[in-house]
Amino acid sequence: MKIPGTYACPLRRTLALCCFVLNVFLPGWHLAAQEARHTGPKQSSALRQRFTRNQDIARIVQEIDTRNIERIIRKLVSFGTRNTLSTQDDPNRGIGAARDWLYSELVRAAANSGGRMTVEKQAFEQQKAARVATPTVLTNVVATLKGTQAESENRIYVVSGHYDSMCGSPTDGQCDAPGANDDASGTAAVLEMARVMANCKFDATIVFMAVAGEEQGLLGATYFAEQAKQKGSNVEAMFTNDIVGNTLGGNGVRDRRTVRVFSEGVPTNETPEDANVRRSVGGENDSASRQLARFIKETGELYVPHMKVMMVYRRDRYGRGGDHIPFLERGFAAVRFTEPNEDFRHQHQNVRTENGIKFGDLPEFVDYAYVANVARVNAANLAMLSLAPARPRNVAILTARLSNDTDLKWDANQEPDLAGYEILWRDTTSAIWTNSRRVGNVTSYTMKGLSKDNAFFGVRSIDKQGNRSPVSFPRPLGRTAPAVSPSTPSRP
Ligand SMILES: [Zn+2]
């Protein structure tokens, strides 16, 4: 939260004027903040529209520039190959040249941060692995924009793209591997966000990261996630942007308005105890990553209304993986952003022409304006997450009494700008939250007349500016689920 009348981001005067004009003339730009107790199928948009847009976030979205996205992608392609096994000491070709250029770009962005953004090369020696024949140094390029609120600076949001590339063979360090879409597109989105957001003040910390070794088995992301786990870092959410640049699918479908967000339902790191609770009372559609996906849809479509966030309720595509997975394995909420219709002739291919068809991951197949829109969806979400309070902790649904009401409780947030909490609920068969109620700055609440047996509930926190956290899904507390055993029949 910022002092009223000041901006989190001191942007250029022309931009402020442009935003002012938009504010005045675009209908619906300011939407009344009203209480909503909606029922019925159109609740998603109803829930969304009662939010007032945060002008700082709107300005960040405005400043993402397609021309920068194109410049970055073309520059990354110019290194010939960025295969993780390619040369690291040629100044013009190979992954080492790309690494050094990315570092210099992020250092340039950090110069506008008032000292809040630091940039490092996170290098490590990768031992022999399935796609690494001999020990090889891998380097993640990491820019950290420190949060400015004492209660929130240790809360971290990570946004990532992988800067390594491959041709037909993941272990060929010599062939040309332009990797314009996979994944210069995601890397460009990350760099452009870092540039725009560096001079903004956020309560929580944002990490902008370009990782190596994705095509070698998610190695760079695994290293970062493992370090974060060992240090006990509070990584609240991670976004990977991977293959976010092509809008004409191999199926002939052109779609410039949709981005897929993949999220897992059952947590990858679920314990047997968690699984027992889930079998008993449900929740297979309510992991922290799934809540994050719902948050991304709500926030992304509010701030970038010409883009549709297509939630896909699975961890990743069939037979494919991405850098969010090592985070999921370590218990961090994470999702993957990817274009809606892929063209496999332009991924993991040697550059060539066969029967008049061009193969290879070339810049001519990238839609730069689309990449910029994906970056805008990301940026709006990262900004909202890091301006908002943390999602409520230890949210519990009290089950000690059999009742037709629903009793919820949670821990108090510590942020000084906290306004209070909101209860959300939906039919158990609904994909998204459909109903909400502001309940003030309390740590327990009873939903009278709404049975916990008939709906799913969640709680989110809100600050005085109206910034909202993702939803926390409660665990049952009190009467635990009866053991699933034929010898101990449960209450009928
Ligand atoms: Zn990729």
Side-chain angles (χ1 to χ4, degrees), residues 262-282:
F262 289 86
S263 66
E264 68 179 15
V266 175
T268 295
N269 71 329
E270 186 182 61
T271 64
E273 185 197 8
D274 296 335
N276 271 335
V277 171
R278 180 171 55 75
R279 288 186 198 101
S280 169
V281 295

Side-chain angles (χ1 to χ4, degrees), residues 213-339:
E214 197 271 351
E215 307 291 8
Q216 258 55 37
L218 317 175
L219 301 178
T222 298
Y223 184 80
F224 183 96
E226 181 60 24
Q227 293 293 306
K229 186 186 171 193
Q230 286 182 17
K231 285 187 281 191
S233 300
N234 179 19
V235 176
E236 269 286 277
M238 184 271 189
F239 301 173
T240 182
N241 285 270
D242 195 353
I243 310 183
V244 292
N246 168 59
T247 52
L248 180 58
N251 54 5
V253 175
R254 166 81 74 184
D255 184 350
R256 308 186 70 199
R257 297 279 174 246
T258 305
V259 61
R260 288 185 291 178
V261 172
F262 289 86
S263 66
E264 68 179 15
V266 175
T268 295
N269 71 329
E270 186 182 61
T271 64
E273 185 197 8
D274 296 335
N276 271 335
V277 171
R278 180 171 55 75
R279 288 186 198 101
S280 169
V281 295
E284 60 275 8
N285 194 9
D286 281 281
S287 68
S289 300
R290 186 61 46 81
Q291 307 303 348
L292 184 61
R294 293 184 178 117
F295 177 93
I296 290 167
K297 182 170 180 63
E298 187 174 79
T299 307
E301 293 182 357
L302 176 68
Y303 285 93
V304 195
H306 52 283
M307 286 292 283
K308 180 186 169 207
V309 174
M310 174 187 173
M311 290 191 290
V312 183
Y313 281 5
R314 53 168 54 105
R315 190 169 71 175
D316 210 323
R317 300 102 78 225
Y318 282 94
R320 312 291 293 273
D323 286 329
H324 55 316
I325 293 174
F327 285 81
L328 296 171
E329 288 169 343
R330 289 160 182 79
F332 302 126
V335 297
R336 175 192 185 119
F337 287 79
T338 298
E339 68 204 24

